[in-house]
């Protein structure tokens, strides 16, 4: 190996070493193409075979609504996890955790930041949707607030799960912050109905609030009906997942204090 | 100047920190091995030891960052296993190895921690601390733009925000030039005299330890290797100064 090749290999080797020690980074390489294929494959199926008499125009409207509303989950989740990771990156967690700030207060602070970030993040997209596509997100009326709240809470419990993983695996798991919520997208039934999924995958989707929220949204946009049962199911599921998220967060925080992970989380 | 209030009237000999038979085990590694000590109110205790002696682990347990495997820590009368937040509100910590957010200005960083510690009259407090630590001209600079020494002074100012009754300081004068190091040592002495605060000081600067510490706890392999006043230790080992005592203990085979 000549000098140049050796130097190039040195750089490649640096990345090989990193990937072989970090399964989240390795998994991420194949993750996105697979995910894109699943989402757009199911969406294409819906539009080509399963419109069930719905007008393609209305289905298109539901698609835009789905894109906008799914962003609430993504922005809410990223709002929490990114704010937490900012503390890791700035090596500030040590100061925070030796202050009188309780873990519950820290979580509430992160949730508040996520609400602000979600509002700021979605405002331009909502205006653009109105100006370019004549789609008014608020046209269905006050009931939309219930959809927003359900999606916000879903983003929060996903985020609590990710922060728990950061406690457990440290900053090496930060790729999860960008991938997990997107990974749920195929089973969230954002762009297509539950029926478009294979039978074996439908129970997984039904266990998530998102599938019920978007089924309810499509009922509202395509048929003008407010499906209260779907909204109620989503709310119950959100409550259950949120409780689970809080329990996992509490457990991982305690474990991190035992293992000394709060001191070394940025490493 | 800050902290003009008279020192709290603690009874003589009353403990600010009591550590009883503290153990921290990580799988096969015994990081702290049945450590016991007390820090009296108004005193400065030096926690010394080579790398891996268990100082950081001990400080982390005192701050509640780390749960002991066994043993008991009482801070200002609060059992840290049950009521750590009551104690944390009355103490503070500074280390050059933990940063403050780089994209916030010095003032914003101090405001954040002022809110976390519920500091009354925050604006005045920040201005007073800026004066004490020569930060007045740096208040509106981003923390990330500061030199290592300036960052250390900001971290110290943060640790004084809530007028702590106990200060835990890890290498408080690391990265400071001799002039600023001396200035900070004087600030610590003044603060102790004004408020009666107790200070636990981990330092590798033996001249600093001799100047500031009333008592010294030498740690080695997670245990107490020796303890006493700096003068007692120097006399006990027949050495010239604490630097030589440190080297003697660190290099000796026996614990």
């Amino acid at each position: 190996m000549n000098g140049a090749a050796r130097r190039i290999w040195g750089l490649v080797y640096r990345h090989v070493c990193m990937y072989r020690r970090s399964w989240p980074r390795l998994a991420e390489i194949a993750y996105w193409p697979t995910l894109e294929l699943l989402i757009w494959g199911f969406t294409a199926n819906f539009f080509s075979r399963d419109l069930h008499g719905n007008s393609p125009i209305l289905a298109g409207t539901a698609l835009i609504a789905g894109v906008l509303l799914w962003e609430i989950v993504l922005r809410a989740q990223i709002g929490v996890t990114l704010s937490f990771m900012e503390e890791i990156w700035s090596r500030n967690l040590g100061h925070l955790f030796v202050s009188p700030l309780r873990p519950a207060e820290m979580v509430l602070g992160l949730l508040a930041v996520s609400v602000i970030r979600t509002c700021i993040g979605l405002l331009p997209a909502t205006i653009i949707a109105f100006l370019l596509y004549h789609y008014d997100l608020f046209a269905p009326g006050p009931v939309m607030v219930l959809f927003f709240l359900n999606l916000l809470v879903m983003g929060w419990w996903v985020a609590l799960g990710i922060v728990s993983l950061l406690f457990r695996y440290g900053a090496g798991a930060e790729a999860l912050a960008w991938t997990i919520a997107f990974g749920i997208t195929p089973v969230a039934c954002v762009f297509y109905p539950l029926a478009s999924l294979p039978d074996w995958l439908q129970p997984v989707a039904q266990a998530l609030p998102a599938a019920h929220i978007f089924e309810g949204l499509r009922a509202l946009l395509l048929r003008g009906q407010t499906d209260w049962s779907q909204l109620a199911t989503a709310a119950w599921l959100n409550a259950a997942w949120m409780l689970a998220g809080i329990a996992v967060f509490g457990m991982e925080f305690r474990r991190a204090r035992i293992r000394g992970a709060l001191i070394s989380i940025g490493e | 100047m800050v902290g003009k209030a008279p020192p709290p009237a603690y009874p003589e000999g009353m403990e600010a920190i009591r550590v009883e038979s503290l153990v921290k085990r990580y799988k096969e590694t015994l990081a702290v091995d049945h450590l016991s000590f007390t820090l009296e109110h108004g005193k400065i205790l030096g926690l010394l030891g080579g790398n891996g002696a268990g100082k950081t682990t001990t400080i982390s347990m005192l701050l509640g960052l780390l749960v002991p495997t066994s043993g008991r820590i009482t801070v200002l009368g609060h059992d840290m296993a049950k009521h750590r937040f009551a104690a944390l509100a009355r103490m503070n910590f500074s280390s050059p190895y933990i940063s403050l957010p780089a994209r916030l200005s010095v003032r914003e960083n101090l405001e954040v921690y002022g809110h976390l510690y519920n500091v009354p009259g925050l604006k005045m407090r920040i201005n007073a601390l800026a004066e004490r630590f020569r930060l007045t001209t740096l208040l509106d600079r981003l923390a990330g733009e500061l030199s290592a020494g300036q960052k250390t002074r900001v971290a110290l100012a943060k640790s004084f925000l809530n007028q702590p009754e106990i200060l835990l300081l890890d290498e408080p004068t690391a990265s400071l030039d001799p002039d600023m190091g001396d200035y900070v040592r004087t600030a610590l002495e003044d603060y102790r005299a004004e408020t009666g605060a107790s200070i636990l000081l981990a330092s590798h600067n033996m001249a600093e330890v001799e100047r500031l510490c009333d008592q010294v706890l030498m740690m080695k392999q997670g245990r107490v290797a020796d303890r006493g006043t700096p003068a007692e230790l120097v006399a006990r080992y027949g050495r010239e100064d604490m630097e030589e005592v440190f080297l003697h203990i660190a290099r000796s085979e026996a614990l």
Side-chain angles (χ1 to χ4, degrees), chain B residues 82-131:
Chain B
K82 293 175 187 160
H83 308 292
R84 73 178 190 278
F85 292 111
L88 287 173
R90 298 167 62 189
M91 57 200 285
N92 214 313
F93 167 67
S94 173
S95 166
Y97 308 112
I98 300 178
S99 307
L100 291 165
R103 279 176 278 181
L104 269 63
S105 71
V106 172
R107 189 193 304 279
E108 288 166 341
N109 266 303
L110 294 175
E111 284 171 347
V112 167
Y113 280 93
H115 293 309
L116 292 181
Y117 283 92
N118 203 16
V119 175
L122 184 56
K123 196 173 174 184
M124 281 174 60
R125 182 81 185 139
I126 288 172
N127 288 336
L129 286 170
E131 200 176 313

Side-chain angles (χ1 to χ4, degrees), chain B residues 144-217:
Chain B
E145 293 174 351
L146 304 180
S147 69
Q150 289 168 336
K151 285 179 184 169
T152 302
R153 279 149 55 202
V154 175
L156 280 166
K158 171 252 153 192
S159 72
F160 275 59
L161 265 172
N162 59 329
Q163 287 197 288
E165 292 165 64
I166 298 177
L167 262 173
L168 273 65
L169 303 175
D170 188 8
E171 299 280 349
T173 55
S175 4
L176 297 181
D177 63 49
D179 172 47
M180 189 47 72
D182 179 68
Y183 187 85
V184 166
R185 281 174 213 117
T186 304
L188 291 175
E189 289 170 327
D190 290 347
Y191 182 70
R192 192 252 296 253
E194 288 163 14
T195 65
S198 318
I199 300 175
L200 184 80
L201 173 77
S203 177
H204 287 137
N205 182 332
M206 293 303 125
E208 177 172 281
V209 169
E210 285 186 68
R211 172 174 163 182
L212 293 178
C213 295
D214 302 298
Q215 287 281 321
V216 167
L217 195 74

Side-chain angles (χ1 to χ4, degrees), chain A residues 47 51 53-65 133 135 221-222:
Chain A
F47 275 86
L51 268 179
N54 291 313
S55 138
I57 294 171
L58 282 176
T61 303
L63 196 65
I64 295 172
Y133 312 117
Y135 173 69
L221 295 177
L222 301 177

Side-chain angles (χ1 to χ4, degrees), chain A residues 86-87 89-103 253-254 256-263, chain B residues 24 26 60 63-67 84-85 88-89 93-95 97-103 113 116-117 155 158:
Chain A
E86 287 274 6
E87 308 299 356
W89 294 329
S90 60
R91 302 181 65 83
N92 182 44
L93 276 179
H95 282 310
L96 285 182
F97 286 132
V98 302
S99 79
L101 182 74
R102 274 73 164 166
F253 183 75
R254 275 192 297 277
R257 286 184 63 224
I258 292 168
R259 289 184 290 114
L262 297 185
I263 307 160
Chain B
K24 184 62 192 180
Y26 297 105
S60 300
L63 289 163
L65 277 175
L66 193 58
V67 177
R84 73 178 190 278
F85 292 111
L88 287 173
F93 167 67
S94 173
S95 166
Y97 308 112
I98 300 178
S99 307
L100 291 165
R103 279 176 278 181
Y113 280 93
L116 292 181
Y117 283 92
K158 171 252 153 192

Side-chain angles (χ1 to χ4, degrees), chain A residues 28-254:
Chain A
E28 194 193 6
I29 297 171
Y31 181 83
W32 293 107
T34 310
L35 195 65
E36 297 280 351
L37 178 78
L38 288 172
I39 294 168
W40 298 113
F42 288 132
T43 306
N45 270 352
F46 170 54
F47 275 86
S48 62
R49 295 204 310 251
D50 305 327
L51 268 179
H52 301 300
N54 291 313
S55 138
I57 294 171
L58 282 176
T61 303
L63 196 65
I64 295 172
V67 170
L68 273 177
L69 289 185
W70 186 235
E71 278 297 321
I72 294 179
V73 175
L74 301 180
R75 293 306 113 200
Q77 176 259 307
I78 288 172
V80 173
T81 47
L82 195 65
S83 306
F84 184 77
M85 287 193 303
E86 287 274 6
E87 308 299 356
I88 296 178
W89 294 329
S90 60
R91 302 181 65 83
N92 182 44
L93 276 179
H95 282 310
L96 285 182
F97 286 132
V98 302
S99 79
L101 182 74
R102 274 73 164 166
E105 292 167 348
M106 189 188 76
V107 169
L108 289 173
L110 294 174
L111 298 188
V113 173
S114 92
V115 171
I116 296 166
R117 281 180 57 102
T118 305
C119 291
I120 293 172
L122 282 177
L123 190 65
T126 307
I127 293 169
I128 290 169
F130 183 73
L131 294 177
L132 286 185
Y133 312 117
H134 309 292
Y135 173 69
D136 180 2
L137 186 63
F138 304 99
V143 71
M144 289 304 284
V145 173
L146 297 178
F147 286 96
F148 298 157
L149 284 177
N150 261 310
L151 291 163
L152 202 60
V153 174
M154 181 170 172
W156 287 345
W157 60 253
V158 172
L160 283 182
I162 294 168
V163 172
S164 305
L165 289 170
L166 288 169
F167 279 137
R168 174 171 279 220
Y169 297 109
E174 71 181 60
L176 297 170
W178 310 108
T179 53
I180 283 189
F182 285 101
I184 296 171
T185 311
V187 285
C189 299
V190 179
F191 310 117
Y192 39 82
L194 186 68
S196 295
L197 292 178
D199 290 344
W200 61 268
L201 202 52
Q202 289 186 18
V204 178
Q206 283 174 318
L208 296 172
H212 301 278
I213 295 166
F214 287 102
E215 286 291 311
L217 181 73
R218 274 183 290 275
L220 188 63
L221 295 177
L222 301 177
R223 297 188 290 281
Q225 299 165 349
T226 303
D227 190 338
W228 294 106
S229 70
Q230 293 282 19
L231 272 173
T233 307
W236 280 113
L237 283 170
N238 260 330
W241 280 105
M242 192 69 190
L243 284 174
I246 291 168
V248 171
F249 175 89
M251 187 178 71
E252 288 300 333
F253 183 75
R254 275 192 297 277

